[in-house]
Amino acid sequence: MTEDCDWLQVPPAALNAEAGQAAAERQAHLTKPPGSLGRLESIAERLAAMQGVSQPMLERVHIAVFAGDHGVVAEGISRFPQAVTAQMVANFANGGAAISVLARHLGASIEVINLGTVAQPPAVAGVQQLNLGPGTANLVREPAMTPAQLERALNAGRQCAERARRGDAQLFIGGEMGIGNTTAAAALACSILDLPPVDLAGPGTGLDANGVRHKAEVIEQALRTHAAVRGEALGSLRCLGGFEIAGLAGAYIAAAQIGLPVLVDGFISTSAALVAERLCPGTADWFLFAHSSAEPGHQRLLEALAAEPLLDLGMRLGEGSGAATAVPLLRLACELHAGMATFAEAGVSGDTR
């Protein structure tokens, strides 16, 4: 890597322990038995430490969807053609995708970043076309990305997080779209965590049992091809990842460096979160994990990051949709924390602390 990626070495911002403690003290005096709101209490305290205020808020949410195609599709690991990636890029921008609907409902800002697709997306406004290439190379045969492509993808993520901060976002959500990206994410995680492909290969867009077995075999071939980078986060990302996964990793690292809380989505996004934490230790302090995906390998990644997901709804769409679905829960945690009366304010007996 060149000096264009020296920023990866900048440590994450420190959480504000005083704000977190102030939030915990407020929770201790609200009109309820201690701990009776369960994780809603710890969520408010965690967000307080992240935002540096005793009463956090989540009015301004920024969603970024990164898109990119994958050369490994040539190995027959997806039920859908690569043309779908570009078509969905247009669907995001036109407001017809699940994440588009969720963003509207949440009042969240949303941007779409196309890092490189095989097909040219239809001409639509609101899509950043970065054109790193017509998707990645086939990771079974050669490295998925060149060093230059990897740098540009990471920096695209960094710039995205910085735009969110300039827009005064209080929470960042990263989404992804790319036919074949569950294979890339599984291969990447297998390399970093030294896990067998059968543990992480899943149905993706709807493969049957034979398709999942074939996917695991393809991942095993890729791991043999790139055995030299096994266990190394940056090398594994370049050889086995995807444009959109690298973009997400860059965004997560930059968000942590500038003190912007991140709500991590499902399997693909969590693979990027794993890379981000390995490249820049401490980045995960700025993560909240939205849900437990129905993609079977997701649980292994959550365990590796000591993550406690907020929801388990059987979702596996991607796009940032699981994370967006969890935003109302986070907002309720903040509203309860700020809006409930203390025992003293309400004139209620029972505050023994």
Side-chain angles (χ1 to χ4, degrees):
M1 303 294 282
T2 70
E3 62 183 16
D4 288 340
C5 278
D6 285 350
W7 62 273
L8 293 172
Q9 309 305 316
V10 176
L15 298 180
N16 190 317
E18 291 183 3
Q21 182 59 37
E25 290 175 0
R26 176 173 174 77
Q27 280 289 333
H29 294 283
L30 297 179
T31 48
K32 58 179 175 57
S36 58
L37 286 176
R39 290 185 63 197
L40 292 174
E41 299 180 14
S42 60
I43 289 168
E45 294 168 16
R46 181 84 181 279
L47 284 168
M50 289 175 165
Q51 292 186 0
V53 295
S54 62
Q55 297 186 28
M57 300 176 65
L58 287 179
E59 294 178 347
R60 298 181 298 279
V61 177
H62 185 76
I63 301 170
V65 183
F66 296 86
D69 269 321
H70 293 262
V72 72
V73 169
E75 303 295 327
I77 46 77
S78 176
R79 292 179 61 241
F80 286 84
Q82 287 184 298
V84 170
T85 304
Q87 292 164 357
M88 283 301 299
V89 167
N91 194 28
F92 295 140
N94 289 329
I99 192 59
S100 310
V101 174
L102 289 162
R104 284 197 299 272
H105 177 74
L106 296 172
S109 56
I110 184 170
E111 63 176 323
V112 184
I113 304 166
N114 181 17
L115 295 165
T117 51
V118 172
Q120 183 67 25
V124 290
V127 178
Q128 296 183 48
Q129 305 283 3
L130 298 190
N131 299 316
L132 306 190
T136 56
N138 184 346
L139 55 83
V140 173
R141 316 293 174 187
E142 58 186 305
M145 290 174 270
T146 66
Q149 287 173 324
L150 176 57
E151 287 185 13
R152 289 185 63 195
L154 287 165
N155 277 297
R158 176 194 186 189
Q159 293 157 10
C160 175
E162 291 172 343
R163 284 193 298 273
R165 172 55 84 200
R166 288 195 297 272
D168 205 21
Q170 296 163 316
L171 184 72
F172 179 85
I173 291 173
E176 40 64 37
M177 174 64 209
I179 295 300
N181 65 5
T182 57
T183 299
L188 174 59
C190 283
S191 180
I192 292 174
L193 298 175
D194 197 23
L195 292 173
V198 292
D199 283 5
L200 296 185
T205 51
L207 295 174
D208 60 16
N210 288 332
V212 173
R213 279 193 294 272
H214 173 64
K215 179 189 278 192
E217 292 167 357
V218 167
I219 294 169
E220 186 62 55
Q221 288 180 295
L223 292 173
R224 287 196 296 268
T225 300
H226 304 293
V229 299
R230 192 110 176 190
E232 181 198 339
L234 194 63
S236 296
L237 180 60
R238 184 174 76 83
C239 293
L240 297 163
F243 293 158
E244 78 279 41
I245 298 173
L248 283 169
Y252 292 159
I253 292 170
Q257 290 169 340
I258 60 180
L260 177 60
V262 172
L263 184 57
V264 179
D265 191 37
F267 180 58
I268 312 299
S269 296
T270 306
S271 73
L274 175 66
V275 170
E277 172 61 19
R278 293 299 177 91
L279 288 178
C280 186
T283 295
D285 288 346
W286 292 89
F287 294 163
L288 295 165
F289 291 84
H291 73 119
S292 182
S293 169
E295 191 69 16
H298 191 212
Q299 190 59 42
R300 298 301 296 270
L301 302 192
L302 292 171
E303 291 170 0
L305 288 162
E308 293 185 83
L310 299 170
L311 302 173
D312 187 351
L313 299 174
M315 298 177 71
R316 56 182 181 87
L317 175 60
E319 304 178 5
S321 57
T325 300
V327 169
L329 184 66
L330 298 183
R331 285 177 168 170
L332 284 172
C334 293
E335 290 293 332
L336 286 165
H337 179 73
M340 285 183 68
T342 65
F343 283 98
E345 291 167 344
V348 174
S349 301
D351 188 355
T352 60
R353 287 141 301 182

